């Protein structure tokens, strides 16, 4: 069962790769159509962002496409659908890998860093499929999401992998399920939220007429306004869950270590992430703060989450040393 | 779509007289401090200030690592120490940031609490003159019941409604500000809970070796390290005693622990006498304290018989060195050894001490330096004997787990020999005295704590969560209805019957407002089918939580 789980992870990575390549193909083929559309969108949104409001750009009048452009647009759409299909397949394989791992270990598969990253990425992709189902127009964001998936799941497989062992007594508590599941869930949503956040920063620059390197990547991303809204919605959804998870952790820490909060490195970084994300939500709600600045805070928040996951497990020793890495 | 500031603008009336400059300065500083920009900067500073607390070792968590750091960085460490880098979370600058932040918070929410209390009691405002200027606007045939019918529809949808003649004003979403204020007030309560805990709480750590002779009672002197809050005296500690009767541990083949259980007898004036079990994750809850199991190890029982034939037994715990095999190091000191029974005089230069490494599962061959497994499969005690003045009488506090190395360096204590002992083995030293390794006792590392702020913490965290959800998912919005008298001169398309004008104003960022507005308009105009459909749409988008609104 354990070997099956390992194989499933490899297959999931392959499927994410296929999805990423298909998204890239869609991106490349989408050239002809969006080149026409880009210019008017820029002006409209530039005005909307400046006013701090959320005025929605009206789609530009459809330009009658030439035969070649039409063909390439059709191919792009097929590539996009293949990409979504591959992502869904990858998510199923990913879930199967988690379930088999859990069965093999006879516990929830969140006992070490490998399993943790695997679960967080699964939550991220599952939430992405939900978003995609609700808002199919955001599909092109998938390129960046699948890129993140390939990177993180491959890192988990290649660097973080550890064989199955039972939980240490310190983890053997029902709080393990409550605390870790909510942390995993919130982390997965924050992971997904970071993708439109970065996308927004690039796209907003592009719409303001910046044509240097990172901004040109955003040429075919959805409009900055919808990326920004998605960013906020995901963070507003994840933040209370993360808060609950930290509180649950404090309740557990009181039972296990005798104090609800002890500034263990992991706790310190969770505090930092919480403060940064709280800063993002406040900045987002304050009209005088530019949306760019607020979104940078969201990106910074995700960096602190990454630091907490990788940095704290690898560089610091503390009470949360369950990573399984030596 | 209009986005309104969360904070109401304070429209200060223009001062008539030339204001007092000090007052003006104070007022401006206060305004600066309570502004959102300052709060954001303070939040950011708080996050940055917490980073050194995770990078550098902290006294409150691992004092021994701080000492190591001083040894490794003799130049840098004192300088860092001066700015409080080893006690970040108690340092002046960290406290300054969060106290300023909380002052800013209080300064911000107090007027908002007052405003919100007023808003909760007040009625929805009078409809603006030109409803067409609002973000949402519609004109429809007036329903049969007029304003009263509209009010009825809105009340059913749990709007707060006010009818003024032909006008209806309605407002909804007070929960957002309520939640917002609840969240921020709870944050203050959390801080109060933490403060109470640190003022009135206490804690102590110690090792407890199994056996009736090693029982301890809850007094400050009985702890290896005790921390009493500033408002706690030694006499305030609840009176109880603990005796470790049994300790069980199970390990996997890899040495990873799987199960711990400690059984103690609780006794004392403040506690009924009873036997109790506790473990990692399930502490022993006493009336005014909790006992936590933090660690465990072995205390080798060593009997030393001096050259006059008098024996003494040491069962001091040997401290684990951190490996999974529970390799432990410790000291058995016999300062009263070799007292001449004829004269009764102590011979200060003939005190005995044994430092040792205890291996619960010793390897089959040398070196005997590292235990292979945490249970006693092949126990062995690697002893080094010392004779001389141990330096215990000098009155300088020293560790009971380590030999005073100054005495060794100055030659006052001399090494006599080394030997590996199995359980029950005896080692005869050069002067004819004997050391016996009798066996081991288990010991546990305990933390005994009392935190009177924890209940407040828990309750305020609950309110904090509820408030947070209200503040994130609540949406304040207003709608206005005005029945316009029919104007036959304009040739109304409804053939003379009156029209109704509707305007909608979201007071917070609410992309789905257009949808809701359309639903209300549909409901008011009596299009029930449309209403149902719209309702289900709204529900599904709420569930997804990624609503983007009508585009």
């Amino acid at each position: 069962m354990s070997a099956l789980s390992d194989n499933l992870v490899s297959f999931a990575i392959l499927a994410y790769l296929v999805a990423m390549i298909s998204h890239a193909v869609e991106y490349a083929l989408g050239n002809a159509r969006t080149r026409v559309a880009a210019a008017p969108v820029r002006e409209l949104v530039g005005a909307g962002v400046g006013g701090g409001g959320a005025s929605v750009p009206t789609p530009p009048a459809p330009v009658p496409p030439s035969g070649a452009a039409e063909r390439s647009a059709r191919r792009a759409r097929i590539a996009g659908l293949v990409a979504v299909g591959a992502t869904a397949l990858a998510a199923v394989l990913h879930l199967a890998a988690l379930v088999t791992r859990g069965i093999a270990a006879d516990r929830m598969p969140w006992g070490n860093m490998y399993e943790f990253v695997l679960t967080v990425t699964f939550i991220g992709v599952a939430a992405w499929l939900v978003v995609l189902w609700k808002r199919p127009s955001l599909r092109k964001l998938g390129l960046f999401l699948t890129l993140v998936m390939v990177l993180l799941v491959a890192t988990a497989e290649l660097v973080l992998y550890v064989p199955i062992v039972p939980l240490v007594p310190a983890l053997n508590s029902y709080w393990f399920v409550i605390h870790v599941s909510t942390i995993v869930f919130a982390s997965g949503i924050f992971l997904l939220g970071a993708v439109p956040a970065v996308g927004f920063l690039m796209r907003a620059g592009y719409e303001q007429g910046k044509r240097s390197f990172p901004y040109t990547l955003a040429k075919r991303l959805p409009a900055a306004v919808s990326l920004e809204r998605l960013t906020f919605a995901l963070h507003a959804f994840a933040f209370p869950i993360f808060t609950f998870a930290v509180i649950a952790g404090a309740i557990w820490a009181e039972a296990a270590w005798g104090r609800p909060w002890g500034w263990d490195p992991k706790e310190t970084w969770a505090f930092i992430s919480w403060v940064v994300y709280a800063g993002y939500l406040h900045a987002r709600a304050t009209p005088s703060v530019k949306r760019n600045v607020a979104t940078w805070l969201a990106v910074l928040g995700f960096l602190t989450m990454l630091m907490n996951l990788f940095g704290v497990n690898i560089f610091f020793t503390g009470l949360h040393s369950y990573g399984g890495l030596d | 779509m209009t986005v309104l500031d969360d904070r109401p603008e304070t429209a200060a009336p223009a001062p008539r007289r030339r204001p007092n400059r000090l007052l003006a300065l104070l007022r401006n500083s206060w305004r600066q401090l309570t502004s959102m920009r300052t709060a954001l900067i303070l939040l950011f500073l708080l996050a940055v200030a917490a980073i050194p607390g995770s990078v550098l070792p902290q006294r409150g968590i691992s004092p021994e690592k701080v000492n190591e750091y001083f040894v490794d960085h003799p130049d840098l460490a004192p300088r860092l120490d001066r700015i409080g880098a080893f006690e970040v979370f108690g340092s002046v600058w960290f406290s300054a940031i969060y106290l300023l932040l909380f002052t800013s918070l209080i300064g911000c929410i107090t007027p908002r609490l007052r405003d919100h209390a007023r808003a909760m009691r007040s009625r929805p405002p009078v409809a603006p003159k030109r409803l067409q200027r609002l973000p949402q606007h519609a004109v429809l045939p007036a329903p049969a019941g007029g304003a009263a019918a509209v009010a009825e529809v809105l009340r059913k949808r749990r709007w707060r409604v006010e009818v003024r003649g032909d006008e209806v004003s309605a407002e909804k979403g007070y929960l957002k500000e309520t939640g917002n204020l609840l969240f921020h007030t709870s944050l203050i309560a959390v801080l109060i809970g933490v403060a109470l805990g640190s003022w009135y709480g206490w804690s102590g750590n110690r090792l407890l070796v199994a056996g009736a002779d090693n029982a301890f009672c809850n007094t400050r002197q009985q702890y290896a390290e005790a921390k009493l809050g500033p408002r706690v005296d030694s006499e305030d500690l609840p009176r109880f005693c603990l005796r470790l009767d049994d300790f069980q541990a199970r390990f996997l083949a890899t040495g990873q622990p799987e199960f711990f259980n400690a059984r103690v007898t609780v006794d004392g004036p403040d506690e009924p006498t009873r036997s109790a079990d506790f473990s990692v994750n399930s502490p022993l809850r006493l009336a005014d304290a909790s006992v936590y199991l933090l660690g465990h190890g072995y205390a080798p029982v060593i009997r030393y018989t001096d050259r006059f034939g008098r024996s003494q037994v040491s069962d001091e715990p040997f401290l684990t060195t951190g490996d999974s095999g529970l390799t432990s190091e410790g000291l058995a000191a016999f300062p009263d050894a070799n007292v001449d029974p004829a004269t009764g005089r102590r011979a200060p230069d003939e005190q005995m001490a044994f430092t040792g490494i205890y291996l619960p599962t010793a390897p089959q061959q040398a070196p005997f330096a590292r235990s292979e497994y945490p249970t006693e499969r092949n126990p062995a005690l690697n002893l080094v004997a010392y004779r001389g003045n141990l330096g215990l009488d000098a009155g300088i506090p020293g560790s009971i787990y380590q030999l005073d190395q100054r005495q060794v360096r100055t030659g006052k204590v001399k090494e006599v020999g080394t030997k590996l002992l199995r359980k029950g083995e005896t080692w005869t030293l050069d002067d004819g005295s004997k050391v016996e390794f009798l066996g081991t006792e288990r010991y546990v590392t305990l933390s005994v704590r009392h935190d009177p702020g924890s209940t407040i913490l828990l309750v305020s965290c609950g309110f904090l969560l509820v408030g947070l959800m209200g503040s994130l998912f609540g949406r304040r919005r207003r709608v206005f209805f005005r029945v316009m008298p029919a104007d036959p001169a304009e040739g109304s398309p409804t053939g003379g019957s009156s029209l109704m004008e509707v305007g909608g104003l979201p007071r917070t960022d609410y992309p789905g407002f257009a949808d809701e507005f359309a639903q209300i308009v549909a409901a008011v105009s009596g299009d029930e089918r449309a209403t149902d459909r719209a309702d289900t749409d709204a529900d599904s988008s709420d569930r997804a939580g990624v609503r983007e609104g009508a585009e």
Side-chain angles (χ1 to χ4, degrees), chain B residues 41-64:
Chain B
I41 291 171
L42 285 171
L43 261 181
F44 189 73
L45 278 178
L46 191 67
V48 172
I51 294 176
S54 72
V55 177
L56 293 168
Q58 298 293 301
R59 282 222 174 81
I61 304 163
S62 49
E64 64 286 351

Side-chain angles (χ1 to χ4, degrees), chain B residues 499-537:
Chain B
L499 286 175
M500 186 164 65
E501 196 181 12
V502 194
L505 172 69
R507 301 203 55 205
T508 47
D509 185 19
Y510 177 15
F513 183 63
D515 281 2
E516 192 191 9
F517 184 78
Q519 282 170 38
I520 293 168
V521 169
V524 166
S525 56
D527 189 353
E528 283 302 325
R529 221 156 39 87
T531 314
D532 288 347
R533 203 168 53 237
D535 270 345
T536 51
D537 280 358

Side-chain angles (χ1 to χ4, degrees), chain A residues 220-280:
Chain A
R220 280 173 288 281
L221 277 184
V225 181
S226 35
L227 288 177
E228 205 279 330
R229 272 196 203 144
L230 179 64
T231 307
F232 174 71
L234 289 170
H235 284 89
F237 180 53
F239 187 72
I241 299 171
F242 184 62
T243 309
F244 172 79
V246 172
I247 293 171
I251 297 171
W252 186 12
E254 198 281 323
W257 302 323
R259 80 288 183 288
W261 196 268
W263 299 109
D264 176 65
K266 187 126 301 201
E267 293 170 356
T268 306
W269 279 94
F271 171 78
I272 293 171
S273 299
W274 193 84
V275 164
V276 172
Y277 278 125
Y280 163 69

Side-chain angles (χ1 to χ4, degrees), chain B residues 35-278:
Chain B
S35 77
M36 185 58 110
R37 175 190 274 277
T38 312
L40 279 174
I41 291 171
L42 285 171
L43 261 181
F44 189 73
L45 278 178
L46 191 67
V48 172
I51 294 176
S54 72
V55 177
L56 293 168
Q58 298 293 301
R59 282 222 174 81
I61 304 163
S62 49
E64 64 286 351
K65 281 206 185 128
V66 177
N67 294 339
E68 265 171 47
Y69 194 88
F70 266 85
V71 173
D72 294 346
H73 306 87
D75 295 334
L76 189 61
R79 260 179 270 165
L80 287 175
D81 197 21
R82 217 167 301 139
I83 56 169
F86 299 114
E87 276 154 307
V88 165
F89 303 106
S91 69
V92 178
W93 37 277
F94 193 79
S95 317
I97 295 172
Y98 75 73
L99 287 178
L100 274 178
L101 187 63
F102 272 90
T103 314
S104 164
L105 177 65
I106 292 169
C108 172
I109 64 168
T110 312
R112 281 174 68 167
L113 267 172
R114 198 185 52 217
D115 292 345
H116 189 56
R118 202 173 291 154
M120 292 288 275
R121 274 180 286 119
S122 69
R123 299 172 304 176
V126 178
K129 280 220 170 63
R130 300 177 184 202
L131 291 179
Q132 68 268 30
R133 290 219 173 155
L134 294 179
Q136 296 296 328
H137 179 248
V139 177
L140 59 151
V150 170
E152 190 49 38
V153 170
L154 287 172
R155 281 205 188 92
K156 254 190 206 150
R157 291 171 169 255
R158 307 196 13 231
W159 286 70
R160 180 174 297 191
V161 183
E162 178 71 16
V163 183
R164 294 184 183 89
D166 278 346
E167 282 179 10
V168 181
S169 307
E171 185 156 359
K172 196 176 176 180
Y174 293 84
L175 194 63
K176 185 181 184 68
E177 182 69 357
T178 310
N180 210 334
L181 293 169
L182 182 63
F183 171 75
H184 289 102
T185 314
S186 306
L187 275 179
I188 297 169
V190 166
L191 190 69
I192 291 172
V194 171
L196 277 182
S198 76
W199 284 338
Y200 295 98
W202 54 269
S203 68
N205 292 346
R206 64 161 290 144
L207 304 185
L208 179 59
V209 181
D213 298 341
N214 295 308
F216 88 101
C217 292
N218 184 37
T219 61
R220 189 177 187 159
Q221 291 73 26
Q222 288 279 336
Y223 290 105
E225 43 174 353
K227 247 188 256 174
L228 269 59
R231 304 292 169 90
V232 185
D233 283 331
S234 302
E235 300 89 69
D236 297 340
L237 299 187
R239 290 164 301 163
F240 60 84
C241 299
L242 287 180
R243 184 179 80 209
L244 180 64
D245 297 325
D246 185 32
F247 179 75
Q248 301 276 332
R250 269 206 316 269
F251 301 88
L252 300 175
T254 57
Q256 180 187 311
E258 197 193 1
F259 167 83
F260 297 126
N261 189 57
R263 172 163 295 165
V264 289
T265 302
V266 191
D267 189 7
D270 292 349
E271 288 291 334
T273 304
R274 65 186 190 275
S275 178
D277 283 12
F278 67 104

Side-chain angles (χ1 to χ4, degrees), chain A:
Chain A
M1 201 58 115
S2 168
L4 175 63
S5 166
D6 300 347
N7 287 333
L8 284 168
V9 172
S10 306
F11 285 127
I13 296 175
L14 273 180
Y16 283 127
L17 261 176
V18 170
M20 185 179 84
I21 292 165
S22 312
H23 271 303
V25 168
E26 180 192 18
Y27 228 63
L29 291 176
N31 229 345
R33 209 173 24 159
T34 38
R35 193 178 295 149
V36 190
V41 168
R42 186 178 79 223
E43 287 160 26
L44 274 167
V45 175
V49 168
S55 73
V56 180
T58 46
V63 180
S66 63
E70 198 177 6
R71 225 178 11 257
S72 114
R74 203 175 57 238
R75 282 189 198 145
R77 215 183 59 237
I78 292 170
L81 292 178
V82 169
V84 172
T87 312
L89 175 67
V92 170
L93 291 169
H94 200 151
L95 177 64
L98 281 173
V99 169
T100 47
R101 176 102 181 167
I103 293 171
D106 196 20
R107 58 173 168 76
M108 290 298 177
W110 310 319
N112 48 54
M113 211 169 150
Y114 168 71
E115 295 169 1
F116 186 87
V117 173
L118 224 51
T119 318
V120 167
T121 44
F122 172 72
I123 296 294
V125 79
W128 164 243
L129 290 174
V130 172
V131 169
L132 204 58
W133 179 46
K134 292 282 164 201
R135 314 279 324 160
S137 61
L138 294 170
R139 189 178 67 211
K140 282 181 181 155
L141 204 54
L143 174 60
F144 296 89
L145 182 97
T146 47
L147 173 68
V148 171
M149 283 296 151
V150 170
L151 286 178
L152 279 179
V153 182
T155 308
E157 173 89 336
L158 298 175
V159 185
L160 307 174
Y161 183 80
V162 283
I164 290 176
V165 283
L167 295 177
V168 294
L171 291 182
N172 214 342
S173 161
Y174 55 91
W175 284 108
F176 171 71
V177 177
I178 300 171
H179 171 61
V180 184
S181 68
T182 45
I183 282 280
V184 161
F185 195 83
S187 304
I189 307 289
F190 279 137
L191 164 74
L192 177 60
V195 173
V198 173
F200 165 77
L201 288 173
M202 296 195 299
R203 178 71 196 183
Y206 184 81
E207 287 176 4
Q208 279 156 27
K210 290 184 187 152
R211 289 294 178 275
S212 49
F213 161 63
Y215 303 109
T216 46
L217 284 179
K219 200 167 163 184
R220 280 173 288 281
L221 277 184
V225 181
S226 35
L227 288 177
E228 205 279 330
R229 272 196 203 144
L230 179 64
T231 307
F232 174 71
L234 289 170
H235 284 89
F237 180 53
F239 187 72
I241 299 171
F242 184 62
T243 309
F244 172 79
V246 172
I247 293 171
I251 297 171
W252 186 12
E254 198 281 323
W257 302 323
R259 80 288 183 288
W261 196 268
W263 299 109
D264 176 65
K266 187 126 301 201
E267 293 170 356
T268 306
W269 279 94
F271 171 78
I272 293 171
S273 299
W274 193 84
V275 164
V276 172
Y277 278 125
Y280 163 69
L281 294 177
H282 279 91
R284 172 76 170 46
T286 311
S288 63
V289 179
K290 287 199 186 105
R291 286 286 152 91
N292 269 29
V293 178
T295 310
W296 269 114
L297 282 175
V299 174
L300 186 68
F302 186 64
L303 292 180
T304 63
M305 296 289 282
L306 282 183
M307 173 67 198
N308 205 356
L309 176 58
F310 292 101
V312 172
N313 280 11
I314 293 167
F315 302 124
F316 304 145
T317 51
L319 291 164
H320 283 83
S321 301
Y322 310 117
L325 301 173
D326 278 324

Side-chain angles (χ1 to χ4, degrees), chain B residues 221-340:
Chain B
Q221 291 73 26
Q222 288 279 336
Y223 290 105
E225 43 174 353
K227 247 188 256 174
L228 269 59
R231 304 292 169 90
V232 185
D233 283 331
S234 302
E235 300 89 69
D236 297 340
L237 299 187
R239 290 164 301 163
F240 60 84
C241 299
L242 287 180
R243 184 179 80 209
L244 180 64
D245 297 325
D246 185 32
F247 179 75
Q248 301 276 332
R250 269 206 316 269
F251 301 88
L252 300 175
T254 57
Q256 180 187 311
E258 197 193 1
F259 167 83
F260 297 126
N261 189 57
R263 172 163 295 165
V264 289
T265 302
V266 191
D267 189 7
D270 292 349
E271 288 291 334
T273 304
R274 65 186 190 275
S275 178
D277 283 12
F278 67 104
S279 173
V280 176
N281 277 323
S282 61
L284 173 62
R285 304 281 185 195
L286 303 175
D288 277 320
S290 298
V291 184
Y292 302 89
L293 179 65
L294 297 186
H296 67 106
Y298 296 97
V301 185
I302 298 166
R303 182 160 67 201
Y304 176 67
T305 311
D306 65 17
R307 60 192 167 93
F308 300 106
R310 297 214 326 198
S311 350
Q312 297 167 51
V313 175
S314 157
D315 60 352
E316 285 300 331
F318 274 33
L319 301 185
T320 52
T321 51
D323 63 345
S324 63
L326 284 184
T327 308
S328 324
E329 291 178 341
L331 169 74
F334 300 99
D336 297 331
N338 296 319
V339 176
D340 190 337

